[in-house]
Amino acid sequence: YELEADAFADLALTPESAGLKSLFFGSTALKKNPFKGAKTVKNIAVLGAGLMGAGIAEVSINKGLNVAMLDKFEEGLNRGLAQIKGNMDKKVKKKRATAWDANIVASRLTGLTNEMPHTPIHLGRTDLVIEAVFEDLGIKHQIIKEMETMIPEHCIIATNTSSLPVADIAKGSKRPENVVGMHYFSPVDKMQLLEIIPHEGTSPEVVATAVQVGLKQGKMPVVVKDVAGFYVNRCLGPYIDESMTLAFEVENYMQLDKAIVDFGFPMGPMVLADEVGVDVSFHVHENLRPDLKERMGGANIAAMEAIKAAGIKGKRFGSGFISYPPDKKPSGLVGSLTSMIVPPPKKVPNPAALAAMKPFMKMGKVSDEDIQKRICARFVNEAIFCLQDGIIRNAVDGDMAAVFGVGFPPFTGGPFRYVDSVGTAKYCDHLNQLADTLGPRFKPAPLLVDMAKTNAKFHK
């Protein structure tokens, strides 16, 4: 016992222990709604039965909300309903729920299409509409106008946009004060983070209600400013930029993934790009360039265009940065036993991606530590810019969103707690050294420069 007590005492005083304790207290703080005036929401409508829409509907009915899921086409609606039923069946099979419980949950969901005569009746008793349709401003405006002819005046319209300004979407509404962004992360049933994005005209009661609904859904709501990329994608943009710079400097770009996973992220930048879609990752990069300017100035745009032109789109298209051989794994008991005995195949670069990148390669000597320092510096510095510019309310929100949104190493406590552990003065010097060597994209945020003068901390 004495040996265990001594070992526990040693572990309790490590930076990792401090980071994880910070994570616990931060996530606990975000389970309370700091905004006043939240309205009661019992009935919600989800527009769009795709992957995101069905996911939003599922987490809502699981937590006792009544949901009307509306899709323009019956085929799309049936796919969304099948996705939800499939997840329910898995819970029953794994004994995480009884068939009775699953039926009770399913009874809260109503599937609708535009042509069904009772669709206006369901929408007429809705407290909140969450649209999860295609990222096109014209389509979103059209949908809002159609909804406002059927929903009650008190009904909130939330957009699940990940790239369009919420203020621009609100211009299509007769009641813009009722419009707010609710940015869920995919897969919705697994990712805890929810970004709440009010535009300048959103009423405080609507913000409070959106946060309350997020908490009801079991999410971790963080209120962020209506700017390009919001918070998480805004930090991810420079991370992508540096990854696409380094990918052309190393012999095998899978070295980037190994280095970043070793640092503590759940996956590396190449796997991340493939999982979310290379096209989506590049769109995030393109969307942020006008706003962040030199802070997005590392990657070769012509090289990225060549990658797109080669048809490198991501895992779901079967052609990403990584090769995806046909899945020939046997099903059933044999498949389960095989997966337990035989290790998964090693991830190797896609030859088509390598061929597209070859004319732009500028290989040098880059160590794993170099990769970790450069990619993480870009993410962390942008997080500090976000705090400086009021995009996030405080460092706790920034830490929690980074950890639960993109998997920033949890044992660090998040980017702000990480900088505190290194020391603001030391980290500012680190960024200045990178800027002197690699260019102005590493120039430290003015807030960090000011704090470095006294080695002040983000967390008091």
Side-chain angles (χ1 to χ4, degrees):
Y1 293 118
E2 189 174 338
L3 186 63
E4 286 183 359
D6 288 343
F8 179 83
D10 290 340
L11 289 171
L13 297 175
T14 60
E16 290 80 9
S17 173
L20 291 170
K21 283 185 284 188
S22 171
L23 203 63
F24 170 77
F25 290 120
S27 59
T28 302
L30 288 182
K31 289 176 183 175
K32 299 172 185 175
N33 190 348
F35 302 95
K36 306 298 180 186
K39 299 172 185 176
T40 302
V41 172
K42 294 181 179 177
N43 303 307
I44 73 171
V46 177
L47 309 184
L51 188 68
M52 293 300 291
I56 295 166
E58 183 181 347
V59 297
S60 301
I61 59 175
N62 281 338
K63 299 297 183 178
L65 291 164
N66 299 313
V67 178
M69 184 167 69
L70 176 67
D71 199 274
K72 187 176 181 181
F73 303 106
E74 190 171 349
E75 184 184 355
L77 175 64
N78 289 336
R79 271 199 305 268
L81 292 172
Q83 176 183 320
I84 295 170
K85 184 180 184 304
N87 287 341
M88 295 273 189
D89 290 345
K90 286 177 187 174
K91 287 182 181 178
V92 173
K93 187 177 180 181
K94 294 178 180 179
K95 302 192 184 301
R96 290 169 53 198
T98 65
W100 172 269
D101 292 334
N103 287 334
I104 292 293
V105 170
S107 71
R108 302 187 191 115
L109 177 64
T110 303
L112 301 170
T113 62
N114 292 8
E115 288 75 26
M116 290 180 180
H118 50 280
T119 294
I121 298 171
H122 284 281
L123 293 174
R125 53 180 180 234
T126 301
D127 304 306
L128 167 68
V129 171
I130 304 173
E131 68 83 5
V133 300
F134 189 67
E135 288 284 82
D136 181 281
L137 189 60
I139 293 174
K140 291 185 186 290
H141 280 175
Q142 181 186 344
I143 285 173
I144 289 173
K145 285 182 171 65
E146 289 174 2
M147 286 300 106
E148 288 184 332
T149 63
M150 294 180 274
I151 59 176
E153 286 198 9
H154 75 272
C155 183
I156 296 168
I157 296 178
T159 173
N160 182 47
T161 183
S162 59
S163 60
L164 297 173
V166 176
D168 288 353
I169 295 171
K171 288 175 184 176
S173 171
K174 291 188 295 185
R175 297 183 286 273
E177 68 278 4
N178 283 1
V179 177
V180 68
M182 292 180 73
H183 179 214
Y184 294 82
F185 290 75
S186 183
V188 182
D189 59 323
K190 293 182 174 65
M191 298 295 284
Q192 287 182 265
L193 183 66
L194 170 62
E195 287 182 319
I196 306 291
I197 310 107
H199 63 92
E200 286 189 4
T202 304
S203 79
E205 293 79 16
V206 168
V207 177
T209 304
V211 171
Q212 197 62 40
V213 169
L215 291 169
K216 175 79 173 174
Q217 291 170 329
K219 298 298 178 185
M220 192 175 289
V222 172
V223 176
V224 301
K225 200 173 179 180
D226 183 20
V227 294
F230 310 135
Y231 171 64
V232 170
N233 283 348
R234 198 175 178 89
C235 295
L236 207 53
Y239 171 103
I240 294 168
D241 185 72
E242 198 59 31
S243 301
M244 290 312 301
T245 305
L246 280 160
F248 294 88
E249 297 178 10
V250 293
E251 189 173 339
N252 182 346
Y253 53 64
M254 296 310 299
Q255 182 188 350
L256 273 61
D257 280 41
K258 178 186 178 299
I260 291 302
V261 169
D262 286 348
F263 185 77
F265 279 86
M267 63 181 71
M270 312 314 283
V271 170
L272 178 65
D274 274 8
E275 290 290 338
V276 303
V278 176
D279 53 340
V280 174
S281 297
F282 285 8
H283 177 70
V284 169
H285 190 278
E286 183 182 0
N287 187 46
L288 289 171
R289 286 202 299 266
D291 210 39
L292 302 190
K293 298 182 174 63
E294 68 179 18
R295 304 208 301 271
M296 292 292 286
N300 185 328
I301 306 305
M304 293 174 74
E305 291 296 330
I307 291 168
K308 283 200 293 185
I312 308 303
K313 294 182 178 180
K315 184 177 181 179
R316 64 194 170 100
F317 297 98
S319 178
F321 285 111
I322 297 157
S323 286
Y324 297 100
D327 189 3
K328 296 180 180 178
K329 186 178 74 174
S331 58
L333 179 60
V334 175
S336 300
L337 292 172
T338 302
S339 63
M340 292 169 64
I341 299 167
V342 180
K346 187 178 179 182
K347 292 182 173 68
V348 295
N350 181 356
L354 291 174
M357 295 169 67
K358 189 175 180 180
F360 304 94
M361 297 301 290
K362 294 181 178 179
M363 283 188 285
K365 287 188 177 181
V366 183
S367 68
D368 286 2
E369 187 180 2
D370 292 333
I371 293 168
Q372 292 166 354
K373 285 181 176 179
R374 285 172 57 178
I375 291 178
C376 292
R378 299 290 302 281
F379 188 103
V380 170
N381 197 37
E382 195 56 45
I384 298 170
F385 268 105
C386 286
L387 181 62
Q388 169 190 293
D389 298 338
I391 294 167
I392 49 175
R393 296 185 309 138
N394 51 53
V396 173
D397 283 5
D399 281 339
M400 297 304 105
V403 171
F404 291 98
V406 290
F408 194 91
F411 56 83
T412 65
F416 296 98
R417 184 69 68 175
Y418 172 67
V419 174
D420 280 352
S421 68
V422 174
T424 50
K426 186 175 179 180
Y427 203 78
C428 188
D429 286 344
H430 167 58
L431 287 173
N432 278 322
Q433 288 168 12
L434 288 171
D436 290 342
T437 308
L438 298 166
R441 64 185 186 273
F442 286 98
K443 187 178 177 182
L447 174 62
L448 180 62
V449 174
D450 288 343
M451 295 178 69
K453 293 172 184 175
T454 57
N455 203 29
K457 290 181 178 290
F458 288 104
H459 294 275
K460 302 296 186 286

